[in-house]
Amino acid sequence: MTDAETPKQNPKRNNNNNKLKDNKPRRKPAQPAYVPRPPAKPAHVKKRHWGLFLAFLIMVLAPIGASAWYLYTRAADQYASTLGFTVRSEDATSAVDILGGIGQTFGGGGGHDSDILYEFIRSQELVSAVDEKLDLRQLFSRHRDRDPLLTFDPAGSIEDLTHYWQRMVRVSYDTGSGLIELRVLAFDPHEAQQIAEAIYDDSSVMINALSAIARQDATRYAQEDLDRAIERVKVAREALTALRLANQIVDPSADIQSQMGLLTTLQEQQAAAIIEYQLIADTARDGDPRLETARRRLDIIEAQIAEERRKFGAGGAGPGGQEYAKVIAEFERLTVDREFAETTYAAALSAFDVARADANRQSRYLAAYIQPTLAERPEFPQRVLLLALVGLFSFLTWAIASLIYYALRDRN
């Protein structure tokens, strides 16, 4: 059969044959058999292990050994003196103040003073004051040749001395109760006690100064009012004295009473003279000398009465030559000014006494609940604690450095 006679193949049938061939299960390739790995070789010490050990010796054991040698052979013993005190206030309040100011009772005003005192103990001012009394440079540098690390360099400045002071004087302050406790370190127990006593004395002086300033502030306005009242009284009295000297009258009121008494007496004499004149006129004849005498006496009395009344009227001159009415008016004005000034002075003096009494009742002072103690044995430097801290930080430094080294090695 030729190629032309070959029957045409059906494409659909070919596709079905291909699908049947594809659906036949295929065999998985054969996997190779498990080959066990050879056992690990024995570990050998390498250079990096010797490096870590050497680093451990240098970074851990060497600092601990050097610290132990210095602390037990070179470091000087330090003695501690303990002092505890608080700021107290003598504030005597009344029942009204207690009902109205219960919050102040619990809050208290001594807390702010304790804050000030805490900063004062750590300040350069107190260091300078105690240094002048006890010569801190000599006390703190006594063992300088043997212990250069834990002692003070006498050539240091006042700032260096203040920094070293804050190391040797450790302050513990409870803000809630206001209690301050100090631990003073020195190379001699008596010197530590003397430093603590000096701190307490200077702190008492400072608190007293604060109390004095508080009292001055509390009484300042009352004092100013009192000074003004005193000046007003002085001016009023001087003006009244000048009026008396100018008019030659000590007390115009008494002078008026005297003048009124004289006028009353003249009026009584006038009435008697009128009666006498009428009696004589009824019985005597014309030209009788008694009648003339009675008439002259009556005229004189009336003229004197008119003169006395003229003093109290317009143009009437008083003893100093001025109008009597104006003198009286000026005297009354100055008297009122003086009385008002004296009343103001009495009120200002009373207010000043009250303010001063309140300020004195609110005075503050130091109350020591622990007197400066005298140590019997040295407690510092704390050698075991220092060695433990040196060992801990040295080991942590070595361990962190080792971890960093291995992390970089593994990454490379």
Side-chain angles (χ1 to χ4, degrees):
M1 184 180 293
T2 62
D3 295 334
E5 295 178 354
T6 303
K8 296 181 178 180
Q9 296 180 355
N10 190 356
K12 292 182 180 181
R13 183 177 180 181
N14 294 332
N15 292 335
N16 292 332
N17 293 332
N18 293 332
K19 289 180 181 181
L20 292 175
K21 292 180 181 180
D22 294 337
N23 291 333
K24 290 181 179 180
R26 296 179 180 179
R27 293 182 180 179
K28 294 181 180 180
Q31 296 182 354
Y34 174 74
V35 179
R37 295 182 179 181
K41 298 180 180 180
H44 299 285
V45 178
K46 298 183 179 181
K47 292 183 179 180
R48 63 175 181 273
H49 298 151
W50 289 109
L52 289 177
F53 180 72
L54 181 61
F56 182 81
L57 291 178
I58 296 175
M59 300 177 65
V60 179
L61 297 183
I64 294 177
S67 300
W69 171 80
Y70 187 88
L71 289 174
Y72 285 97
T73 61
R74 308 285 291 180
D77 292 335
Q78 298 176 7
Y79 297 84
S81 178
T82 303
L83 169 64
F85 54 84
T86 184
V87 180
R88 303 289 294 175
S89 175
E90 292 182 355
D91 190 0
T93 56
S94 61
V96 177
D97 296 334
I98 292 175
L99 293 176
I102 295 178
Q104 296 181 357
T105 303
F106 291 98
H112 301 291
D113 294 332
S114 299
D115 295 338
I116 296 173
L117 190 59
Y118 172 77
E119 295 298 334
F120 174 74
I121 295 173
R122 297 168 51 86
S123 67
Q124 179 178 326
E125 179 182 358
L126 180 61
V127 174
S128 300
V130 178
D131 186 26
E132 292 179 359
K133 294 179 181 178
L134 303 177
D135 192 5
L136 292 177
R137 296 175 182 272
Q138 190 275 331
L139 297 182
F140 289 154
S141 62
R142 175 175 301 169
H143 304 283
R144 181 67 181 177
D145 296 336
R146 179 182 129 189
D147 184 8
L149 295 181
L150 301 180
T151 57
F152 177 72
D153 185 4
S157 61
I158 186 63
E159 290 79 10
D160 297 331
L161 183 59
T162 303
H163 181 71
Y164 188 79
W165 168 276
Q166 295 175 359
R167 289 173 47 192
M168 301 297 285
V169 179
R170 305 178 184 181
V171 186
S172 176
Y173 173 46
D174 185 1
T175 57
S177 60
L179 300 179
I180 299 178
E181 186 171 336
L182 280 73
R183 185 170 58 190
V184 182
L185 303 180
F187 300 105
D188 183 85
H190 296 282
E191 293 174 356
Q193 187 180 36
Q194 291 175 1
I195 295 174
E197 292 174 351
I199 293 174
Y200 182 78
D201 294 338
D202 290 343
S203 299
S204 298
V205 172
M206 194 272 294
I207 287 297
N208 292 334
L210 291 179
S211 298
I213 294 173
R215 286 194 297 268
Q216 292 176 1
D217 292 340
T219 60
R220 180 178 58 187
Y221 298 107
Q223 182 67 50
E224 292 176 356
D225 293 340
L226 181 60
D227 294 339
R228 286 194 295 267
I230 292 174
E231 186 65 23
R232 178 178 292 182
V233 170
K234 186 186 298 184
V235 171
R237 288 179 177 177
E238 289 177 354
L240 192 59
T241 301
L243 179 66
R244 287 170 175 170
L245 293 175
N247 295 275
Q248 300 177 0
I249 300 177
V250 177
D251 190 357
S253 299
D255 191 73
I256 290 175
Q257 293 178 359
S258 176
Q259 294 292 333
M260 294 302 297
L262 177 60
L263 184 60
T264 301
T265 302
L266 290 174
Q267 289 176 348
E268 292 176 354
Q269 292 178 0
Q270 181 187 19
I274 291 173
I275 293 172
E276 182 181 1
Y277 177 78
Q278 292 293 337
L279 291 174
I280 294 174
D282 291 342
T283 58
R285 292 176 297 176
D286 294 338
D288 191 339
R290 292 182 302 165
L291 184 63
E292 184 65 22
T293 301
R295 183 67 218 178
R296 290 181 59 190
R297 182 172 181 271
L298 181 59
D299 292 341
I300 292 172
I301 292 174
E302 290 177 350
Q304 189 64 34
I305 290 174
E307 180 65 24
E308 293 297 330
R309 287 180 175 175
R310 192 179 302 112
K311 293 180 180 179
F312 299 102
Q322 297 183 4
E323 293 184 7
Y324 208 84
K326 293 183 179 180
V327 173
I328 296 300
E330 183 67 15
F331 179 80
E332 290 178 349
R333 184 184 68 82
L334 294 178
T335 301
V336 171
D337 292 343
R338 186 197 64 183
E339 292 176 352
F340 179 76
E342 290 177 349
T343 303
T344 305
Y345 168 73
L349 182 61
S350 177
F352 176 74
D353 291 338
V354 172
R356 183 170 58 183
D358 291 340
N360 291 333
R361 285 198 301 268
Q362 295 176 0
S363 62
R364 291 173 173 82
Y365 62 94
L366 285 186
Y369 61 89
I370 300 178
Q371 296 293 336
T373 59
L374 181 63
E376 295 182 354
R377 61 181 179 85
E379 297 180 344
F380 297 88
Q382 297 174 321
R383 295 176 173 85
V384 176
L385 178 61
L386 292 177
L387 285 177
L389 292 176
V390 169
L392 175 62
F393 284 102
S394 299
F395 178 78
L396 291 177
T397 303
W398 173 80
I400 293 173
S402 301
L403 292 176
I404 293 174
Y405 167 74
Y406 271 99
L408 294 177
R409 177 179 174 275
D410 294 341
R411 182 174 182 180
N412 293 331

